[in-house]
Amino acid sequence: APQNLLLDRRGGAPLATAWITLNRPAALNALNDALMDELGAALLQADADEGIGCIVITGSEKAFAAGADIGVMAGLSYADATRGDFITRNWETIRRIRKPVIAAVAGHALGGGCELAMMCDLIIAADTAQFGQPEIKLGIIPGAGGTQRLPRAVGKAKAMDMVLTARTIGAEEAERAGLVARLVPAASLLDEAQKAADAIGRQPLLAILAAKDCVNRAFEGPLAEGIAYERRQFHAMFATEDQKEGMAAFLAKRKPVFTHR
Ligand code: HXC
């Protein structure tokens, strides 16, 4: 069993939600290789699980994650960091996950914690959430996509502000800037995340996988290529049984029963 995570399965029919709770409370969920290895394994397992439609990653009320583990990084040399590909070597796993991943964020999401949240497909934030890339204060820069995903999410102005001055932004500013999909009261964060996960879990999985894949293309490569890719995926949906079922059910004014085929 993992040492740094709590794993849980919630919600129900037809597809359940895999919940992954980061659990290193003594270090505000600071991220180290052990935690990231466990996270990668848990994500792959959920992705392969036929009963799962959506994955939620969350932390504690106090911290989603306060960044990469500074205790580990403090003594690293350039050679250590480079040869070990510190921490980031197992971050790429998250990008391989084909099912939707929701970050349910309360409290600190700093440095690698903010980057981890941004690697998820959507962020639902409690009003207590704080996002920041304070690496500069430690003599480093963001190393898990912060300089790339943050400007895509909030634009250059706010990204530069956050990365260069280490300013942390609250949930409201993050929502206004487009970093956060939904802003909810802290007390209902987990419920709201489960509701969003259920809304995804009710949909036909093949279409969900294609939709996530296509939206991600919007951030990679030229527009024309993304549009062409989307069109092929769109056409491919007509090879699925769920397309027939979804449309037949609509026309018959009944509820669809998806088989994810
Ligand atoms: C290791 C950490 C930690 C971290 C907190 N802790 N953040 N340990 N790495 N990133 C530990 C503290 O040392 C402390 O341990 C315990 O968690 C509680 O933290 P406090 O500081 O006492 O809590 P508080 O006063 O509430 O302040 C919360 C905080 C502060 C504002 C979040 O902890 C903080 O500034 N943390 C560092 C944030 C940061 O710089 N993150 C970016 C890291 S660089 P003890 O044992 O004293 O109780 C990074 C690079 C990413 O993320 C690159 C990706 C590859």
Side-chain angles (χ1 to χ4, degrees):
Q3 306 293 300
N4 303 287
L5 307 176
L6 303 173
L7 301 180
D8 195 8
R9 197 185 180 93
R10 291 182 211 166
L15 293 178
T17 306
W19 277 75
I20 302 175
T21 304
L22 309 179
N23 187 36
R24 275 192 85 200
L28 299 183
N29 293 333
L31 307 166
N32 58 19
D33 277 332
L35 186 151
M36 293 308 297
D37 280 341
E38 291 175 0
L39 179 60
L43 286 166
L44 288 172
Q45 197 175 9
D47 210 31
D49 187 329
E50 292 200 346
I52 293 292
C54 187
I55 301 164
V56 178
I57 301 178
T58 193
S60 68
E61 277 175 26
K62 188 140 192 250
F64 179 72
D69 193 317
I70 299 169
V72 173
M73 287 188 290
L76 288 186
S77 68
Y78 168 76
D80 295 334
T82 304
R83 294 181 61 180
D85 200 5
F86 172 69
I87 257 196
T88 48
R89 69 160 183 264
N90 38 30
W91 286 57
E92 295 300 309
T93 309
I94 302 168
R95 294 185 52 192
R96 286 169 45 206
I97 302 306
R98 296 172 66 205
K99 290 173 184 166
V101 183
I102 297 173
V105 176
H108 305 288
L110 301 177
C114 187
E115 291 170 309
L116 174 60
M118 288 191 290
M119 290 181 86
C120 298
D121 298 310
L122 61 104
I123 300 176
I124 299 181
D127 48 19
T128 58
Q130 290 279 332
F131 298 89
Q133 299 288 163
E135 285 92 339
I136 207 81
K137 292 198 290 187
L138 299 168
I140 58 171
I141 65 171
T147 67
Q148 303 303 301
R149 289 198 180 90
L150 192 59
R152 281 168 170 79
V154 305
K156 176 180 168 180
K158 256 191 218 301
M160 283 290 191
D161 187 2
M162 292 170 69
V163 170
L164 300 179
T165 74
R167 183 168 74 87
T168 291
I169 62 173
E172 217 166 279
E173 185 174 359
E175 201 259 353
R176 240 184 297 131
L179 181 60
V180 157
R182 304 186 192 181
L183 169 55
V184 301
S188 54
L189 175 67
L190 302 187
D191 283 347
E192 292 295 331
Q194 184 61 60
K195 268 189 221 160
D198 282 340
I200 291 168
R202 279 194 292 274
Q203 311 309 326
L205 183 64
L206 291 172
I208 287 285
L209 298 180
K212 165 173 170 166
D213 189 19
C214 285
V215 174
N216 278 332
R217 298 274 160 160
F219 301 98
E220 282 160 23
L223 176 63
E225 235 171 67
I227 297 285
Y229 188 79
E230 179 198 65
R231 188 158 308 163
R232 293 293 167 263
Q233 293 295 314
F234 172 71
H235 291 155
M237 292 300 105
F238 292 87
T240 67
E241 291 171 19
D242 284 343
Q243 174 267 327
K244 300 291 178 292
E245 169 63 10
M247 293 189 184
F250 176 84
L251 294 174
K253 302 187 190 301
R254 62 168 174 83
K255 281 205 161 169
V257 181
F258 293 123
T259 53
H260 311 298
R261 307 197 69 84

